[in-house]
């Protein structure tokens, strides 16, 4: 009897324990399933957000390239306008000089004609009365005729020149007005594109805020570095196909910085995580000129993720300089560059909030401190 009771108790306990274990297992499996569903939902959300982010980056690239093209047109038009104004000023000055010269010559000519007329009448009367040698008379008449013809030719030439200058001035004025209108239209277009870019940038900033983390930020920098590395590797190959130039070794400490501004980030300083700056960030006014630090040849001029509109110049001997975040690139691949040439305009392309220039110098693909080559 006692044994049967104990056996029943043990059996009941085992059944109860098994029931508890089964219930706990089901609960755990249910919790695991919920967690897995949450993870899948978050992964899908992150995937969708990343997809949207890539789409916005594509839009940002297109907008910044359009802004670069418009800004380049504005810059070129303003240059043509300045040249036209100089030509117009020179023509105005020349016209004034010719006008004074014409008046002076007309006065002198009037006196000469009057004097010649009086002298000619007197001499002719004397020649007739005194029956002077016909040869002398013929010679004097030829002399007077020569002087008169020379004066008439001078007058006609002055009139012709004056008419031509007036015509050129009118053409220059029309061209000046046309260029002014073109520049105004391009500025308006550039402003409109900037506004669109800013709207895209605001959307991008909001999206980055939602998915932003230290890890994703570091990953983004690593992606940008990888993109730049591909450009540098391609540039290194392009350098091998170009004639040898003098490089920058002999110019160490003698070069000018590519633009004026404040140093926002120095070479080698910490950027994020284990990523350091391989160049310098120079804060400068948007639209300010960016100049080539030394002679060379353009081997890259395009939009690059993280760096916006980027231009790379081969200086020979393994040296290259890089100029990023430009508003507009004013040179194209293959263009020969002289020291001090304006090659781009300062901007905020590549998703920058503030305008500035990202500047690098590399030797055989490795980044070097620009302060070693540019005057402090």
């Amino acid at each position: 009897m006692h044994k049967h009771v104990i056996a029943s108790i043990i059996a009941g306990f085992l059944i109860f324990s098994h029931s508890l274990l089964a219930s706990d297992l089901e609960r755990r499996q249910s919790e695991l399933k919920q967690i897995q569903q949450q993870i899948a939902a978050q992964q899908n959300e992150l995937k969708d957000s990343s997809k949207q982010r890539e789409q916005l980056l594509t839009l940002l690239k297109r907008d910044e390239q359009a802004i670069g093209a418009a800004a380049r047109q504005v810059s070129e038009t303003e240059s043509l306008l300045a040249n036209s104004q100089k030509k117009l000023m020179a023509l105005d000055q020349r016209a004034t000089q010719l006008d004074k010269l014409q008046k002076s010559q007309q006065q002198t000519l009037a006196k000469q004609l009057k004097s010649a007329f009086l002298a000619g009448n007197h001499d002719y009367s004397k020649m007739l009365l005194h029956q002077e040698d016909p040869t002398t008379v013929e010679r004097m008449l030829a002399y007077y005729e020569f002087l008169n013809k020379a004066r008439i030719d001078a007058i006609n030439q002055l009139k012709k020149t004056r008419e031509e200058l007036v015509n050129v001035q009118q053409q220059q004025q029309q061209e000046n007005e046309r260029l002014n209108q073109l520049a105004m239209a391009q500025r308006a277009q550039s402003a409109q594109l900037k506004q669109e870019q800013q709207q895209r940038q605001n959307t991008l900033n909001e999206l980055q805020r939602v998915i932003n983390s230290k890890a994703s930020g570091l990953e983004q920098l690593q992606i940008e570095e990888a993109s730049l590395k591909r450009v540098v590797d391609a540039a290194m190959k392009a350098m091998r196909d170009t004639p040898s130039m003098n490089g920058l070794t002999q110019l160490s400490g003698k070069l000018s910085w590519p633009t004026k501004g404040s140093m926002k980030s120095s070479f080698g300083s910490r950027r994020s995580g284990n990523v350091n700056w391989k160049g310098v960030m120079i804060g400068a006014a948007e639209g300010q000129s960016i100049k080539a630090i030394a002679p060379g040849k353009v081997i890259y001029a395009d939009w690059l993720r993280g760096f916006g509109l980027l231009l790379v110049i081969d200086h020979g001997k393994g040296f290259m300089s890089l100029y990023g975040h430009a508003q507009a690139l004013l040179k194209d691949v293959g263009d020969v560059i002289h020291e001090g040439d304006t090659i781009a305009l300062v901007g905020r392309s590549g998703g920058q909030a503030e305008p500035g220039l990202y500047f690098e110098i590399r030797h055989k693909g490795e980044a070097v401190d620009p302060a070693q080559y540019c005057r402090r």
Side-chain angles (χ1 to χ4, degrees):
M1 178 71 181
H2 181 69
K3 292 181 178 180
H4 289 294
V5 171
I6 294 174
S8 298
I9 292 172
I10 292 173
F13 178 78
L14 289 174
I15 293 171
F16 178 73
S17 298
H18 178 74
S19 177
L20 287 176
L21 288 172
S23 176
D24 185 60
L25 180 61
E26 289 177 359
R27 181 177 59 81
R28 288 176 180 275
Q29 287 177 340
S30 177
E31 290 177 352
L32 178 60
K33 186 176 181 179
Q34 289 178 356
I35 292 173
Q36 288 174 338
Q37 289 175 345
Q38 290 175 358
I39 291 173
Q42 289 179 352
Q43 287 177 337
N44 289 333
E45 182 180 352
L46 182 60
K47 183 178 180 180
D48 291 341
S49 297
S50 297
K51 184 177 180 180
Q52 293 175 9
R53 185 170 180 272
E54 290 301 318
Q55 290 174 343
L56 285 168
L57 279 171
T58 301
L59 289 174
L60 182 66
K61 174 183 177 179
R62 187 186 68 185
D63 290 341
E64 289 179 346
Q65 286 177 327
I67 289 172
R72 177 171 179 169
Q73 288 178 343
V74 170
S75 176
E76 291 174 349
T77 301
E78 288 176 344
S79 178
L80 290 173
L81 183 58
N83 291 334
S84 178
Q85 289 171 339
K86 288 180 180 178
K87 290 178 181 178
L88 189 59
M89 288 179 62
L91 284 171
D92 287 341
Q93 293 174 355
R94 181 59 179 161
T96 300
Q97 293 173 354
L98 287 174
D99 186 55
K100 290 180 179 179
L101 179 61
Q102 179 177 265
K103 290 178 181 178
S104 173
Q105 290 185 346
Q106 284 176 339
Q107 292 174 356
T108 302
L109 186 59
K111 293 178 181 178
Q112 290 176 347
L113 288 173
K114 183 178 179 181
S115 175
F117 176 76
L118 294 175
N121 284 347
H122 177 68
D123 290 345
Y124 186 68
S125 300
K126 285 176 61 179
M127 285 186 288
L128 291 177
L129 292 173
H130 296 280
Q131 298 180 354
E132 292 189 7
D133 185 3
T135 304
T136 303
V137 174
E138 184 178 355
R139 186 170 61 250
M140 292 184 67
L141 289 175
Y143 172 71
Y144 288 136
E145 184 180 356
F146 172 78
L147 290 178
N148 288 333
K149 186 177 183 304
R151 293 177 188 120
I152 292 173
D153 288 344
I155 292 173
N156 290 336
Q157 186 62 39
L158 283 172
K159 287 182 178 179
K160 181 180 178 181
T161 302
R162 178 62 178 172
E163 290 172 357
E164 182 182 353
L165 284 171
V166 169
N167 183 47
V168 170
Q169 283 179 331
Q170 291 174 347
Q171 292 178 3
Q172 290 288 340
Q173 186 63 34
Q174 292 172 357
E175 183 70 10
N176 201 343
E177 292 174 359
R178 186 185 71 83
L179 290 174
N180 265 318
Q181 292 174 355
L182 183 59
M184 290 175 61
Q186 288 171 334
R187 288 193 189 98
Q189 183 182 13
S190 181
Q192 181 179 355
L193 287 170
K194 284 181 183 179
Q195 185 177 1
E196 182 179 351
Q197 179 195 10
Q198 186 59 50
Q199 179 61 41
R200 300 296 187 208
Q201 183 62 41
N202 291 339
T203 305
L204 178 60
N205 289 341
E206 179 63 22
L207 185 58
Q208 286 178 330
R209 185 187 68 79
V210 173
I211 64 174
N212 189 34
S213 68
K214 187 173 182 180
S216 63
L218 180 60
E219 180 186 5
Q220 174 64 20
L221 291 178
Q222 290 171 340
I223 291 173
E224 292 173 3
E225 277 205 340
S227 298
L228 185 59
K229 185 178 185 301
R230 286 195 294 271
V231 169
V232 170
D233 290 343
M236 291 290 293
K237 293 179 181 178
M239 291 172 72
R240 289 197 288 267
D241 297 331
T242 58
S244 178
M245 289 174 279
N246 296 328
L248 303 179
T249 303
Q250 302 300 321
L251 301 174
S252 180
K254 300 176 183 178
L255 300 173
S256 298
W257 289 94
T259 196
K260 293 181 180 179
S262 57
M263 195 69 66
K264 297 296 185 181
S265 300
S266 58
F267 175 81
S269 61
R270 184 62 56 86
R271 190 174 181 184
S272 178
N274 60 351
V275 178
N276 296 332
W277 286 98
K278 290 184 169 56
V280 297
M281 273 297 301
I282 304 173
E286 193 162 15
Q288 184 171 296
S289 295
I290 299 172
K291 299 183 181 298
I293 60 169
K297 185 177 182 179
V298 178
I299 53 178
Y300 184 88
D302 203 348
W303 194 93
L304 182 67
R305 180 172 178 170
F307 297 91
L309 292 172
L310 176 74
L311 189 139
V312 181
I313 299 178
D314 169 20
H315 301 289
K317 307 295 184 184
F319 284 95
M320 67 176 74
S321 57
L322 299 82
Y323 311 79
H325 301 315
Q327 180 192 55
L329 304 179
L330 305 183
K331 300 296 181 181
D332 300 310
V333 172
D335 286 351
V336 175
I337 305 299
H338 301 92
E339 181 180 354
D341 283 354
T342 299
I343 56 174
L345 303 176
V346 172
R348 60 181 78 197
S349 61
Q352 295 298 299
E354 299 294 332
L357 168 65
Y358 178 70
F359 173 56
E360 277 191 19
I361 294 179
R362 294 201 175 218
H363 184 226
K364 296 182 179 179
E366 296 297 323
V368 296
D369 189 355
Q372 295 179 4
Y373 295 88
C374 299
R375 293 189 293 267
R376 295 183 182 275

